[in-house]
Each structure stands twice: as C-alpha cells, then as structure tokens.
Amino acid sequence: MSRKPLPILPGAKLPILPGATLGILGGGQLGRMFTLAARTMGYKVMVLDPDAASPAGQMADVHVRADYTDSAALKQLGEACAAVTTEFENVPAASLIELAKYCRVSPGADAVAIVQDRSHEKAWLADNGFATAPFARVNAEADLDAALATTGTPALLKVSRLGYDGKGQARVGTPEEARAAFREFGGEACVLEGFVALEREISVVLARDDAGRCALFPVAENRHENGILDVSIAPARVTDSLAQEARETARAVADKLGYVGVMAVEFFIAGGRLMVNEIAPRPHNSGHYTLDACVTDQFEQQVRVLAGLPLGDTRLLSPAVMVNLLGDRWHDGGPHWDALLAHDNIKLHLYGKETARPGRKMGHFNVLDADPEAALKLAEQMRHAL
Ligand code: AMP
C-alpha cells in the first residue's frame, strides 16, 4: 500500500477559496447536494447536464445544458471553474481528460475509467488482492459455459457498463437462462458473478486528498430491495474488527487507485468474511446519513477535497437510519409528509424531481436517535406509514 505523498493535481492554486466557481458533471441528486454544500460555503457552482429540469441545475448559479461529451460545453465549464468534479461514474473518462486541459479535475480519469466498467473493476480488484465474489468476464456467448463453471449457480449476469441500481442484472440458474439473459442485454460485455449468500452489506465512504491523507466516515449497513438501496444504518451492526477491516480495505483501495476525491466502497459479508462488491468514484447513497449525523457531510467533504482544503471531521454525532424514497410511493397524491414531519428527529431531503417513476430516487429521510434501535424502529414505522 503506497503512502507516498502525491504531487498536487495541476491546474489550480490550492486551496481554492469561497468566491471561486466549482463545477460538476452531472445534475442528479448527488450533484444537487454537492451544489448546496458548495453554495453554503460561498462558492459559485456550474453544473453540466443535458436535462433542463435537472435537480442540481435548479440549485446552481449556472446550468450548462449540454451533453457530457460536448467539447464546447466542457471548454466553457473548464474556463469558468477553478476545479470540476463528477457526480456519477458514467461520465466518459475522455471528458475528464478534456476538462483537465483547463482546470483541476478530481477524481482523475484513470480511476474513473477503472470503476466505470464492472469487468475492469472486478479484474482490477482481483489483481490487487482484494477479495470479491467469484466472477468471470463474458465478452461473447461462447464464454458463458466456462464462466458458469467458475461461478457455479445461481449466478448474476451483469452488464459491464452503464448498469446501476439493479438495472442490467439478471439472476440465472442454468446455461440456457444465462444465454437468454446475455441475448436480452444485446450481447454486450458482461460479468458473471456467483450468487453470494449475504449475511449483511456494508459500505465505507471516504475522502482522499492530494497528499494521500484519508478521512473515513463511519461504516454504514445497507439493506437493498430489488437491487436498489432501501435503508442504511449507521453505525453498522458489525463487530469492531470487521468494521476496522472494512475501513482499512476501503483505504487500501483508494491508495491503490491513487484516488483524489470522495469515493465509496461497498462490501458483502458472507461466511463472516468481507468481499468488495463495488467502488463508486463519488459520494454515495449509503453516505446520505452523514448529511444530518456527522460533523462534516460527504458533500462538504467533496467540496473540501476538490478545493484542496483540509478534510473535514467525519465524526458521527448521532446514530442514524436513512430511508430512500423511491418514485413508487408517489401514487395517490404522494407520500404523507405530515406524518413524517411530525417527528422532531426526522430530516427530510427531497431532490426536486418533477416526474416520479417506480425505482426513481426522489428523496430520502434520516432518523436520528441516540438509541440506534429506536432510530431503526421509527424508520421502519415511517417507511410503512408513508
Ligand atoms: P450491484 O449493482 O452490483 O451493487 O448490485 C445491487 C445489489 O444486488 C447488491 O447490493 C446486492 O444486494 C445484490 N447483489 C449483487 N451482486 C450480488 C451477488 N454476487 N450475490 C448476492 N447478491 C448480490
């Protein structure tokens, strides 16, 4: 594991102080919360996103409505901003390289290129000695039999690129099902993963600065429904030694990637052991509890690391439970906010999305309570009451 200080990223005199303009590629909810954090601290924010109604665009000083590959738009962003970051991994690495001609960019294109492709990510993890679920790359239908022999069944076939929140994933039990799923995904490159009997899922959000210093947030425990995060519990209900191992592993992943920025590492726990599931080169849904429960939240941390400021204190001030609000709840006039807001220890965050669709992340709420079990109980109650 390398602990050598890294050279400062080119393109800006650090630290970048309030008054300067920061940019973000992508205008979804993560971009919106970055924008709010940056504006709270006195920065101006420019968002690049093609969607006129983008959640982050609504909050930004300037919303450039263009595609992430539009070189004129990238130039506009790069010339106006002292530094630019991204809110999602599917920004083409080439756009980050293009932007870096004009300004400081974090995270760097190299790290994003590894993690935006599941095949590369899994291979990189294995090559660097990080435990994962058994997997095999599937580039053509002819690879499936050998892949199934590696993973066993049941297995999950996942598209390598652009899959998220359980999209582009199919559970397969036989070679025929695997072939049908591969064809359904249009014959795109995939990864086949052995289906792991999960005891729990946990994640670690961290920030790593130019000098290789890391600040890690407390470990979150995550429950998913239909492949989408449903509930996060902080601190995770795991042994101290497992929590410590998760933090050390997340840090080692960031070090090996030479990462600068905020990132998350998601883990499976199976047979009492940790396996890395995924790396996200950005703040993460499982870190939304930090908005209300930590001294510094993950979006302020993203601003700090982008601006070259010292990393903020990640201390947990209160146990917290985060519940995602998906578009599925928006029928019959929408959720009963009065029931939720009647509680003085619940914090509501809505993302300003105009159209609700099943599975679409519309917002979340955090329940804070000194007693973690009481927080979870109220969160469950509200999940059903809404
Ligand atoms: P992913 O998009 O790959 O993170 O998958 C979304 C969710 O699906 C995970 O958080 C798990 O709950 C579940 N999942 C994904 N891969 C596996 C696996 N190999 N074994 C068991 N469950 C999985």
Side-chain angles (χ1 to χ4, degrees):
M1 192 187 322
S2 150
R3 290 271 195 277
K4 274 195 308 227
L6 295 168
I8 303 289
L9 293 176
K13 186 173 165 296
L14 299 181
I16 299 162
L17 293 172
T21 302
L22 302 177
I24 184 152
L25 293 169
Q29 65 269 18
L30 300 178
R32 177 183 177 99
M33 291 182 269
F34 168 85
T35 301
L36 290 170
R39 294 200 64 175
T40 300
M41 294 165 77
Y43 293 94
K44 296 188 182 71
V45 179
M46 193 179 248
V47 169
L48 176 64
D49 190 288
D51 177 6
S54 94
Q58 296 164 22
M59 297 292 143
D61 294 275
V62 182
H63 176 189
V64 180
R65 284 175 207 141
D67 194 79
Y68 310 118
T69 53
D70 181 323
S71 42
L74 291 169
K75 183 166 189 276
Q76 186 187 348
L77 195 70
E79 285 178 348
C81 295
V84 175
T85 187
T86 164
E87 65 139 20
F88 77 139
E89 49 273 46
N90 295 324
V91 161
S95 297
L96 298 176
I97 294 169
E98 175 78 13
L99 264 175
K101 291 182 192 159
Y102 305 103
C103 69
R104 172 176 166 87
V105 177
S106 130
D110 293 357
V112 173
I114 291 169
V115 303
Q116 71 186 185
D117 180 304
R118 274 187 205 275
S119 292
H120 289 161
E121 180 184 45
K122 284 264 162 6
W124 182 89
L125 285 165
D127 289 349
N128 285 284
F130 296 105
T132 65
F135 73 93
R137 299 167 85 158
V138 179
N139 293 322
E141 209 175 304
D143 299 335
L144 278 169
D145 287 333
L148 283 163
T150 304
T151 62
T153 51
L156 281 170
L157 188 70
K158 304 180 176 181
V159 291
S160 287
R161 295 183 76 90
L162 302 176
Y164 67 99
D165 285 344
K167 294 196 179 77
Q169 298 195 8
R171 188 173 161 146
V172 297
T174 62
E176 292 68 38
E177 282 175 15
R179 270 187 272 284
F182 187 73
R183 281 183 204 148
E184 181 154 329
F185 295 152
E188 271 185 61
C190 287
V191 176
L192 189 73
E193 268 182 51
F195 195 81
V196 177
L198 300 176
E199 282 148 31
R200 271 178 214 280
E201 294 184 69
I202 60 174
S203 57
V204 178
V205 176
L206 66 84
R208 186 172 182 281
D209 74 9
D210 299 79
R213 286 178 295 246
C214 272
L216 294 107
F217 286 98
V219 179
E221 174 183 336
N222 305 319
R223 289 198 331 224
H224 294 78
E225 215 164 80
N226 303 322
I228 305 179
L229 184 65
D230 181 19
V231 173
S232 288
I233 302 164
R237 297 167 300 173
V238 295
T239 60
D240 288 349
S241 66
L242 209 58
Q244 189 52 28
E245 191 187 333
R247 288 159 60 90
E248 278 166 14
T249 305
R251 183 182 181 136
V253 167
D255 281 339
K256 279 259 161 70
L257 283 171
Y259 194 84
V260 177
V262 171
M263 61 173 267
V265 181
E266 290 182 84
F267 297 92
F268 295 151
I269 304 178
R273 287 182 49 239
L274 281 180
M275 297 173 187
V276 176
N277 171 29
E278 260 189 327
I279 304 165
R282 51 171 170 78
H284 194 255
N285 195 167
S286 67
H288 289 355
Y289 78 88
T290 64
L291 283 164
D292 299 305
C294 289
V295 176
T296 307
D297 68 66
Q298 61 171 349
F299 300 100
E300 176 181 343
Q301 199 73 303
Q302 188 181 17
V303 173
R304 284 179 163 269
V305 69
L306 181 64
L309 292 165
L311 298 178
D313 184 348
T314 54
R315 210 161 7 120
L316 189 70
L317 298 173
S318 165
V321 175
M322 189 259 358
V323 178
N324 262 344
L325 294 166
L326 301 184
D328 312 57
R329 296 177 184 275
W330 261 248
H331 44 71
D332 305 333
H336 302 292
W337 302 128
D338 46 351
L340 190 85
L341 294 168
H343 292 272
D344 63 3
N345 60 339
I346 295 186
K347 301 290 200 178
L348 176 63
H349 300 258
L350 292 176
Y351 307 147
K353 295 184 184 177
E354 281 167 11
T355 321
R357 284 190 299 273
R360 190 171 198 208
K361 291 175 179 168
M362 303 297 289
H364 70 270
F365 64 87
N366 288 325
V367 183
L368 306 179
D369 198 305
D371 172 0
E373 289 307 318
L376 186 55
K377 199 164 157 220
L378 181 56
E380 295 285 11
Q381 202 184 316
M382 284 300 118
R383 230 174 124 254
H384 295 297
L386 289 177

